[in-house]
Amino acid sequence: MNVILLGAPGSGKGTQAQHICRALGVPQISTGDIIRSAIREQTALGLEFKSYADAGDLVPDDLVNRLVDGRLAQCDCAAGFLLDGYPRTVAQAGWLDAALARHGRHIDCVISFEVADALVLERITGRRTDPATGRVFHLTFDPPPIEIMHRLVHRADDTEAVLRRRLEEYSEKTAPIVPYYEARRLLRRVNGEGAVADVKRRVLDALGIEEAASV
Ligand code: AMP
């Protein structure tokens, strides 16, 4: 199954992606993670990405499309994949459809997480990632064990000022993707508010997956 997760920053895409990938047995392709790892490794592309990501701006389509093209060609994507944070513009969505069609593939389902902006702000400013495991915590909603507190990372773009810019980018450039997939009858809207387990149940329902298959 080929799935796209759509939603504003902090809407829960990354958290739910891990559950869905386990249930479907497909890899998670997070363009944000790929971009952050290029920035950390200070590759030439990484240096270019940094100025966009630090400001909360989207990276230009052609650069991201090339990243995704290379990733989808890897053999672990042959039986399906989950895209988290891509596509982010209607142009990226059109490019993806054409690239998949060249290999006789297509998107099966697009999950759109619906979350109020005020909640997004609360989630993002308290978000911390464990670099050792990739696990994402929240200081209030999902507190990390005290012994790993020292190694947790607060993303450079998870500040209130940058988040406001990311939300603007989302409503201007990414939200228009919703009607694009709605017209293709691929879109499933999911309420992304509430406990992680409740959202997970809604997402699995939307995908038609039994809860037991995801454990
Ligand atoms: P994320 O972790 O998905 O919030 O992405 C973090 C940052 O990476 C974004 O604010 C953008 O600068 C960049 N980025 C990630 N995915 C994309 C994409 N599909 N198109 C353009 N920029 C992206």
Side-chain angles (χ1 to χ4, degrees):
M1 197 177 206
N2 304 328
V3 178
I4 290 174
L5 300 189
L6 208 56
S11 59
K13 300 186 298 294
T15 302
Q16 295 300 330
Q18 298 178 353
H19 297 300
I20 304 168
C21 286
R22 209 173 309 133
L24 294 175
V26 300
Q28 173 186 1
I29 303 175
S30 157
T31 44
D33 283 350
I34 299 173
I35 286 168
R36 274 184 293 282
S37 122
I39 294 175
R40 259 195 318 274
E41 286 160 20
Q42 301 191 318
T43 61
L45 215 47
L47 294 175
E48 198 169 338
F49 292 153
K50 187 169 165 46
S51 58
Y52 296 103
D54 281 357
D57 293 337
L58 291 185
V59 169
D61 289 339
D62 58 325
L63 294 182
V64 188
N65 290 344
R66 263 188 281 152
L67 282 185
V68 171
D69 200 26
R71 184 64 188 86
L72 289 180
Q74 291 176 13
C75 43
D76 62 336
C77 295
F81 53 80
L82 177 140
L83 286 164
D84 157 17
Y86 180 94
R88 281 279 234 288
T89 63
V90 173
Q92 289 179 13
W95 180 90
L96 176 66
D97 276 347
L100 291 174
R102 278 197 295 279
H103 299 282
R105 306 165 88 185
H106 60 269
I107 294 298
D108 297 298
C109 186
V110 179
I111 302 284
S112 173
F113 289 93
E114 318 273 312
V115 174
D117 279 6
L119 180 60
V120 158
L121 181 64
E122 216 173 21
R123 281 185 178 176
I124 288 275
T125 48
R127 181 158 76 171
R128 299 292 183 276
T129 308
D130 179 4
T133 61
R135 164 102 207 263
V136 180
F137 295 93
H138 188 282
L139 296 178
T140 313
F141 303 142
D142 181 17
I146 198 84
E147 58 275 15
I148 65 161
M149 274 301 260
H150 65 281
R151 67 173 190 230
L152 299 184
V153 176
H154 186 199
R155 273 173 52 176
D157 59 349
D158 272 356
T159 61
E160 183 167 349
V162 180
L163 176 65
R164 293 210 183 277
R165 177 69 196 137
R166 289 162 68 202
L167 287 172
E168 271 170 27
E169 286 281 75
Y170 184 80
S171 57
E172 272 170 38
K173 297 180 182 163
T174 309
I177 297 182
V178 169
Y180 176 92
Y181 286 118
E182 216 157 29
R184 286 162 180 72
R185 298 178 181 279
L186 294 175
L187 195 86
R188 308 270 183 282
R189 290 176 197 273
V190 168
N191 174 2
E193 300 192 2
V196 171
D198 294 336
V199 179
K200 174 184 165 188
R201 212 165 301 120
R202 290 176 211 140
V203 173
L204 295 178
D205 266 1
L207 287 167
I209 300 171
E210 295 282 327
E211 175 92 7
S214 71
V215 183

